[in-house]
Short mmCIF file of all heavy atoms in Angstrom, two decimals:
data_model
loop_
_atom_site.label_atom_id
_atom_site.label_comp_id
_atom_site.label_asym_id
_atom_site.label_seq_id
_atom_site.Cartn_x
_atom_site.Cartn_y
_atom_site.Cartn_z
N LYS A 589 63.60 22.79 10.87
CA LYS A 589 62.92 22.40 9.65
C LYS A 589 62.15 21.10 9.87
O LYS A 589 62.66 20.16 10.51
CB LYS A 589 63.94 22.19 8.52
CG LYS A 589 64.39 23.47 7.88
CD LYS A 589 65.14 23.18 6.61
CE LYS A 589 64.73 24.13 5.51
NZ LYS A 589 65.43 23.85 4.26
N TYR A 590 60.96 21.06 9.38
CA TYR A 590 60.14 19.85 9.47
C TYR A 590 59.51 19.59 8.11
O TYR A 590 59.48 20.46 7.24
CB TYR A 590 59.03 20.02 10.51
CG TYR A 590 59.54 20.21 11.92
CD1 TYR A 590 59.72 21.49 12.44
CD2 TYR A 590 59.84 19.11 12.71
CE1 TYR A 590 60.20 21.67 13.72
CE2 TYR A 590 60.32 19.29 14.00
CZ TYR A 590 60.49 20.57 14.50
OH TYR A 590 60.96 20.73 15.78
N ARG A 591 59.02 18.37 8.00
CA ARG A 591 58.32 17.98 6.79
C ARG A 591 56.90 17.61 7.19
O ARG A 591 56.69 16.83 8.12
CB ARG A 591 59.04 16.75 6.19
CG ARG A 591 58.72 16.41 4.77
CD ARG A 591 59.76 15.40 4.24
NE ARG A 591 60.06 14.35 5.23
CZ ARG A 591 59.28 13.30 5.45
NH1 ARG A 591 58.19 13.12 4.77
NH2 ARG A 591 59.63 12.41 6.36
N ARG A 592 55.91 18.18 6.50
CA ARG A 592 54.52 17.87 6.88
C ARG A 592 54.09 16.52 6.34
O ARG A 592 54.59 16.04 5.33
CB ARG A 592 53.58 18.92 6.29
CG ARG A 592 53.69 20.28 6.92
CD ARG A 592 52.53 21.15 6.45
NE ARG A 592 52.71 22.54 6.83
CZ ARG A 592 52.35 23.01 8.03
NH1 ARG A 592 51.80 22.21 8.93
NH2 ARG A 592 52.54 24.28 8.31
N ASP A 593 53.14 15.94 7.04
CA ASP A 593 52.52 14.72 6.54
C ASP A 593 51.66 15.09 5.33
O ASP A 593 50.95 16.10 5.36
CB ASP A 593 51.63 14.10 7.63
CG ASP A 593 51.20 12.69 7.28
OD1 ASP A 593 50.36 12.53 6.37
OD2 ASP A 593 51.70 11.75 7.92
N THR A 594 51.73 14.30 4.28
CA THR A 594 51.02 14.68 3.05
C THR A 594 49.74 13.87 2.82
O THR A 594 49.14 13.94 1.77
CB THR A 594 51.94 14.52 1.83
OG1 THR A 594 52.42 13.18 1.79
CG2 THR A 594 53.09 15.49 1.90
N ASN A 595 49.36 13.07 3.81
CA ASN A 595 48.08 12.36 3.70
C ASN A 595 46.95 13.27 4.12
O ASN A 595 47.18 14.32 4.75
CB ASN A 595 48.08 11.14 4.62
CG ASN A 595 49.07 10.10 4.18
OD1 ASN A 595 48.91 9.46 3.15
ND2 ASN A 595 50.15 9.94 4.94
N VAL A 596 45.73 12.88 3.79
CA VAL A 596 44.58 13.53 4.40
C VAL A 596 43.74 12.46 5.09
O VAL A 596 43.92 11.27 4.85
CB VAL A 596 43.72 14.32 3.37
CG1 VAL A 596 44.51 15.45 2.76
CG2 VAL A 596 43.16 13.38 2.29
N MET A 597 42.83 12.92 5.94
CA MET A 597 42.00 11.97 6.69
C MET A 597 40.90 11.41 5.78
O MET A 597 40.52 12.05 4.81
CB MET A 597 41.38 12.67 7.89
CG MET A 597 42.44 13.21 8.85
SD MET A 597 41.67 13.90 10.32
CE MET A 597 43.03 14.86 10.98
N PRO A 598 40.40 10.24 6.12
CA PRO A 598 39.31 9.68 5.31
C PRO A 598 38.03 10.48 5.52
O PRO A 598 37.91 11.20 6.51
CB PRO A 598 39.16 8.26 5.86
CG PRO A 598 39.70 8.31 7.23
CD PRO A 598 40.77 9.36 7.23
N GLN A 599 37.10 10.35 4.61
CA GLN A 599 35.90 11.17 4.70
C GLN A 599 35.12 10.93 5.99
O GLN A 599 34.38 11.79 6.45
CB GLN A 599 34.99 10.92 3.49
CG GLN A 599 33.98 12.04 3.30
CD GLN A 599 33.05 11.81 2.13
OE1 GLN A 599 33.28 10.95 1.30
NE2 GLN A 599 32.00 12.60 2.06
N TRP A 600 35.32 9.76 6.58
CA TRP A 600 34.57 9.43 7.80
C TRP A 600 34.95 10.31 8.97
O TRP A 600 34.20 10.43 9.93
CB TRP A 600 34.81 7.97 8.18
CG TRP A 600 34.63 7.07 7.03
CD1 TRP A 600 35.61 6.40 6.33
CD2 TRP A 600 33.41 6.73 6.39
NE1 TRP A 600 35.05 5.68 5.31
CE2 TRP A 600 33.71 5.86 5.32
CE3 TRP A 600 32.08 7.08 6.64
CZ2 TRP A 600 32.73 5.33 4.49
CZ3 TRP A 600 31.11 6.55 5.81
CH2 TRP A 600 31.44 5.69 4.75
N ALA A 601 36.14 10.92 8.91
CA ALA A 601 36.63 11.66 10.07
C ALA A 601 35.65 12.75 10.49
O ALA A 601 35.27 12.85 11.66
CB ALA A 601 38.00 12.25 9.76
N GLY A 602 35.24 13.56 9.52
CA GLY A 602 34.39 14.70 9.85
C GLY A 602 33.05 14.29 10.43
O GLY A 602 32.48 15.00 11.26
N SER A 603 32.54 13.14 10.02
CA SER A 603 31.23 12.73 10.50
C SER A 603 31.31 11.95 11.81
O SER A 603 30.29 11.51 12.32
CB SER A 603 30.51 11.90 9.43
OG SER A 603 31.27 10.77 9.08
N CYS A 604 32.51 11.79 12.33
CA CYS A 604 32.66 11.06 13.59
C CYS A 604 32.23 11.85 14.80
O CYS A 604 32.08 11.29 15.87
CB CYS A 604 34.12 10.65 13.78
SG CYS A 604 34.53 9.07 13.05
N TRP A 605 32.11 13.15 14.63
CA TRP A 605 31.87 13.95 15.85
C TRP A 605 30.95 15.13 15.63
O TRP A 605 30.81 15.98 16.49
CB TRP A 605 33.21 14.41 16.42
CG TRP A 605 33.89 15.47 15.61
CD1 TRP A 605 34.58 15.28 14.45
CD2 TRP A 605 33.94 16.87 15.88
NE1 TRP A 605 35.04 16.48 13.97
CE2 TRP A 605 34.66 17.48 14.85
CE3 TRP A 605 33.43 17.68 16.92
CZ2 TRP A 605 34.90 18.84 14.79
CZ3 TRP A 605 33.67 19.05 16.86
CH2 TRP A 605 34.40 19.62 15.82
#
Side-chain angles (χ1 to χ4, degrees):
Chain A
K589 279 192 137 181
Y590 296 94
R591 196 167 42 80
R592 290 191 190 275
D593 192 289
T594 56
N595 293 291
V596 297
M597 299 185 196
Q599 198 181 347
W600 312 107
S603 57
C604 271
W605 71 283

